[in-house]
Amino acid sequence: GIALAEKLISSMGEEERHTKVHLGSLKQTINIDAFGALDVEMQFELNESLTDLPRVGIELTVPSELNETMFFADGPHENYSDRSNSSHAGVYEGSVSDSSTYVVPQEQGNRMNMRWIVLAESNGRGRLQVPKFDEDVKSTFLGAISGRQGVLIASTSDQMPQFAVSRHTDASLFSARHVNELKDDQDRIFVRIDAAQRGLGSGSCGPQTLEQYKVNGGRYTISFCIKSFGYMPVK
């Protein structure tokens, strides 16, 4: 990624580098309900001339204390549009500290088909544990997060997004050439929610990403809600 970007920039003339290009538009709609939940819809209209984009989505931040996760998505390991046959829909647990970092920093930890994800503090109780769900799903879920503070992010559309959780921004991953150059953010955890993401391909030892797994310009939508839990209400 870095080598390709540098090659493209070096091939441009001075005028090309400073030419303004209309990339597209973004419409964001946020509604808040009587219980404090935020309903968010993001509509991306990207210039049709844009090709082979890395991802289309947003990046949220939550406090660093919310480092325990439980999610309903494809898993348990990371998966992408062209590398997902071994992943299956289910409820899985994890920790942000589990995020593996490759020797050469790069995109990592993505999970497709997100139904929901919980980020919570450990509260001295260790990792979140996936409960044994019974017929009363709501009560079982509430019992799993009882006594903790955190946030729930849930898809509200049939077009389920992808997500990744990290202590590094996309920019920091892109700019670092070696893993020792990465520094964990001590104050924030970054949650990336994507409508689409480029497939991995195998460019380091084989062919690049196939055309059907590339992301190009067009219309994309992400719809989700955010609800905090465990916090004292404001009086």
Side-chain angles (χ1 to χ4, degrees):
I2 295 174
L4 178 59
E6 290 179 341
K7 182 178 180 180
L8 289 172
I9 293 174
S10 64
S11 67
M12 294 180 180
E14 189 68 23
E15 184 176 345
E16 287 181 292
R17 296 184 192 181
H18 295 88
T19 300
K20 293 184 178 179
V21 178
H22 178 66
L23 300 179
S25 62
L26 167 65
K27 180 181 178 182
Q28 178 177 267
T29 304
I30 301 177
N31 294 307
I32 183 169
D33 68 17
F35 301 99
L38 295 176
D39 285 310
V40 181
E41 182 179 80
M42 315 282 293
Q43 295 181 335
F44 303 84
E45 293 280 354
L46 302 182
N47 193 314
E48 295 286 352
S49 65
L50 297 174
T51 59
D52 203 7
L53 301 171
R55 54 188 288 261
V56 178
I58 62 171
E59 185 174 79
L60 310 174
T61 61
V62 299
S64 61
E65 293 80 10
L66 306 185
N67 63 338
E68 299 301 326
T69 66
M70 182 168 63
F71 56 88
F72 184 8
D74 292 355
H77 47 264
E78 66 179 17
N79 49 87
Y80 296 82
S81 58
D82 61 348
R83 196 167 297 179
S84 61
N85 285 351
S86 63
S87 302
H88 307 282
V91 179
Y92 303 99
E93 63 196 46
S95 173
V96 179
S97 60
D98 287 348
S99 300
S100 61
T101 302
Y102 297 104
V103 175
V104 177
Q106 56 193 281
E107 161 60 36
Q108 59 189 329
N110 189 69
R111 266 84 174 191
M112 298 182 63
N113 296 315
M114 183 196 87
R115 283 76 164 178
W116 50 259
I117 175 174
V118 166
L119 295 105
E121 61 177 4
S122 61
N123 197 25
R125 301 173 57 188
R127 302 180 64 159
L128 282 168
Q129 299 292 321
V130 174
K132 182 178 180 180
F133 287 93
D134 55 27
E135 293 182 359
D136 190 349
V137 174
K138 182 177 180 180
S139 295
T140 306
F141 174 79
L142 292 176
I145 62 174
S146 176
R148 299 178 188 260
Q149 294 180 334
V151 64
L152 165 70
I153 304 173
S155 173
T156 55
S157 170
D158 291 336
Q159 299 177 4
M160 292 176 285
Q162 309 173 42
F163 83 92
V165 180
S166 175
R167 291 193 180 274
H168 310 286
T169 65
D170 270 354
S172 64
L173 288 171
F174 183 82
S175 61
R177 291 179 177 271
H178 303 93
V179 66
N180 65 296
E181 298 173 9
L182 283 174
K183 303 298 181 185
D184 286 355
D185 193 302
Q186 299 301 313
D187 301 314
R188 298 169 297 174
I189 289 172
F190 303 95
V191 183
R192 290 184 272 278
I193 303 177
D194 293 336
Q197 184 168 155
R198 182 184 190 270
L200 297 178
S202 54
S204 61
C205 58
Q208 271 292 349
T209 304
L210 298 178
E211 286 299 321
Q212 63 263 38
Y213 300 121
K214 291 182 179 180
V215 178
N216 301 315
R219 177 179 294 180
Y220 299 88
T221 302
I222 306 174
S223 300
F224 60 93
C225 71
I226 306 175
K227 180 71 170 70
S228 62
F229 58 85
Y231 295 93
M232 294 295 292
V234 178
K235 295 183 179 179

